[in-house]
Amino acid sequence: MIGVQFNVGKTRDALREAIGLLQDMTPVYEDVAEYMTEKTRQRFISGKAPDGTAWARKSEATLARYKRLGYGNLSKPLIGPLKALSRQIVTFVSKDGVVIGSSQIYARVMQEGAVKGAFGTDSRGRPVPWGRIPAREWLGISPSEGTDIVEIVEEHLGRKLNV
């Protein structure tokens, strides 16, 4: 008769540590939030959606309005006079996940677009918005970012497991 005996103490301890990390992944999600916030800010510089497609250009009417109001040449899509959308990316991190977005009232319209008059009319009877706003997807995760997020998780697990 042949007997084999395994000492699984270290393995069991490592698995317990991993389970502990998986019950509260706040540190992992904090790193993911930081990473995705930076990637999202970079989209405003590149003018590209997570899938790599270029954002629609601003209309000539919008560019003329900016000039008329004294804002100069703000030709980059989604960059307005205050640059609020790109500067005010917010995150919410908990032990269960991370949410990335914006507190700007117009953020969803910039992400999804809107047709002329989609929100009714103003006090003078003019359509709101006053023209079609094309969707310019600025939130999302590209395939390479998804891979990077997996690597962030693996790095945290590796540190916990001393791998």
Side-chain angles (χ1 to χ4, degrees), residues 19-40:
I19 289 168
L21 174 65
L22 294 173
Q23 288 177 354
D24 183 4
M25 291 193 39
T26 303
V28 177
Y29 292 137
E30 286 171 344
D31 283 357
V32 170
E34 183 179 331
Y35 170 79
M36 285 308 303
T37 298
E38 180 56 31
K39 288 298 184 177
T40 302

Side-chain angles (χ1 to χ4, degrees), residues 38-81:
E38 180 56 31
K39 288 298 184 177
T40 302
R41 283 192 176 113
Q42 289 175 8
R43 288 198 183 98
F44 289 88
I45 295 166
S46 70
K48 293 184 179 179
D51 68 3
T53 58
W55 289 338
R57 297 175 46 117
K58 286 182 179 173
S59 73
E60 291 303 318
T62 298
L63 294 172
R65 183 170 186 257
Y66 282 162
K67 284 183 183 174
R68 190 173 59 251
L69 294 172
Y71 297 135
N73 186 17
L74 294 170
S75 61
K76 280 192 160 194
L78 295 187
I79 303 292

Side-chain angles (χ1 to χ4, degrees), residues 41-121:
R41 283 192 176 113
Q42 289 175 8
R43 288 198 183 98
F44 289 88
I45 295 166
S46 70
K48 293 184 179 179
D51 68 3
T53 58
W55 289 338
R57 297 175 46 117
K58 286 182 179 173
S59 73
E60 291 303 318
T62 298
L63 294 172
R65 183 170 186 257
Y66 282 162
K67 284 183 183 174
R68 190 173 59 251
L69 294 172
Y71 297 135
N73 186 17
L74 294 170
S75 61
K76 280 192 160 194
L78 295 187
I79 303 292
L82 302 177
K83 300 179 183 174
L85 194 59
S86 64
R87 289 184 177 162
Q88 296 182 19
I89 298 166
V90 295
T91 60
F92 175 77
V93 178
S94 73
K95 69 182 184 82
D96 299 315
V98 59
V99 176
I100 300 172
S102 174
S103 60
Q104 297 299 309
I105 195 166
Y106 58 88
R108 185 173 182 173
V109 171
M110 298 297 105
Q111 175 83 3
E112 298 175 0
V115 297
K116 180 178 180 177
F119 307 113
T121 58

